[in-house]
Amino acid sequence: MKRMNIVWGILLIGIGLITLMQTMGVIVGGLGIVWAFVFAAVGATFLWTFITDRSRWWALIPAFVLLSLAATAFLEGALPETSDRWTGAVFMGGLSLSFWAVYLVRRDYWWAIIPGGVLLTIAVVAAMPGRESLSGGIFFLGLALTFGLVFLLTRMMWAIIPAAVLALIGGAIAIGQEVWLQYLNYVWPVFLIAAGLYLIVRVMRR
């Protein structure tokens, strides 16, 4: 704990000095890269907190958040012309990694799969150029895959329902055909009937 307080003290002093020099005009160019190293250092501190004590799984979330901020700040400082396209994807991808890391170290925290998958889907969509129909379809398909993973990794039957519904919506939007939407009017009630029959059969077997 004493070592951590020293590390935090050094980091706070460093951030204060950088902010002061920025206000005084001492630091003008390359400020994004400087802040990238600051965010990376603070993120590494949280990561070290988890490494030294595995019970502090919560430290993984701020660690990856700050590391993703460091990556976006570095992109904006080093590649200002192309950073607009990738900063959102990189940041959302870093947030997604934080929840996947939580699930990997604590398999009983299955809930982390959902924000991890949703944020990863948003990261993929953010990295895609134009074409709203395709990106919208990928968004819903990504959500469907997320709930599909919840079922595969936890064997929770309820996850099949949102996975199937989101997959149908995503396929309809991605293909962009009205025929798909017409078929959904038939598939949806059939799916509900099948789900109800499954629940009844399951109870009768018990």
Side-chain angles (χ1 to χ4, degrees):
M1 182 61 69
K2 292 182 179 179
R3 292 181 180 180
M4 290 300 301
N5 288 336
I6 293 174
V7 172
W8 276 109
I10 295 173
L11 288 174
L12 290 174
I13 293 173
I15 294 173
L17 288 174
I18 291 174
T19 306
L20 181 61
M21 287 188 290
Q22 179 187 7
T23 303
M24 296 174 63
V26 177
I27 298 178
V28 179
L31 187 60
I33 297 178
V34 174
W35 279 110
F37 282 106
V38 173
F39 287 132
V42 181
T45 303
F46 279 103
L47 194 60
W48 179 253
T49 300
F50 166 74
I51 293 173
T52 54
D53 186 359
R54 294 299 180 91
S55 64
R56 299 180 179 179
W57 58 268
W58 53 266
L60 290 170
I61 297 178
F64 281 96
V65 170
L66 289 166
L67 290 175
S68 61
L69 282 174
T72 55
F74 180 81
L75 286 174
E76 291 177 352
L79 302 171
E81 297 180 356
T82 60
S83 62
D84 292 339
R85 178 181 176 184
W86 298 108
T87 50
V90 170
F91 181 69
M92 290 298 175
L95 294 182
S96 173
L97 286 176
S98 66
F99 289 100
W100 285 112
V102 170
Y103 174 72
L104 290 176
V105 298
R106 292 295 302 268
R107 294 301 178 90
D108 53 326
Y109 289 173
W110 61 268
W111 53 265
I113 299 174
I114 298 177
V118 172
L119 291 170
L120 182 59
T121 302
I122 296 174
V124 173
V125 173
M128 293 180 58
R131 197 170 179 185
E132 297 179 357
S133 60
L134 180 60
S135 60
I138 291 177
F139 175 74
F140 281 99
L141 290 174
L143 297 183
L145 181 60
T146 299
F147 285 98
L149 287 174
V150 172
F151 167 70
L152 292 175
L153 296 175
T154 65
R155 296 300 177 183
M156 294 183 177
M157 299 302 300
W158 63 266
I160 297 178
I161 297 177
V165 173
L166 291 168
L168 290 173
I169 297 175
I173 295 175
I175 296 176
Q177 295 180 355
E178 295 182 358
V179 177
W180 255 96
L181 296 176
Q182 293 177 359
Y183 278 126
L184 281 178
N185 294 329
Y186 297 95
V187 173
W188 173 243
V190 171
F191 177 78
L192 290 177
I193 293 171
L197 289 174
Y198 169 79
L199 294 175
I200 294 172
V201 171
R202 186 178 180 183
V203 172
M204 293 179 64
R205 285 182 177 180
R206 288 182 179 179

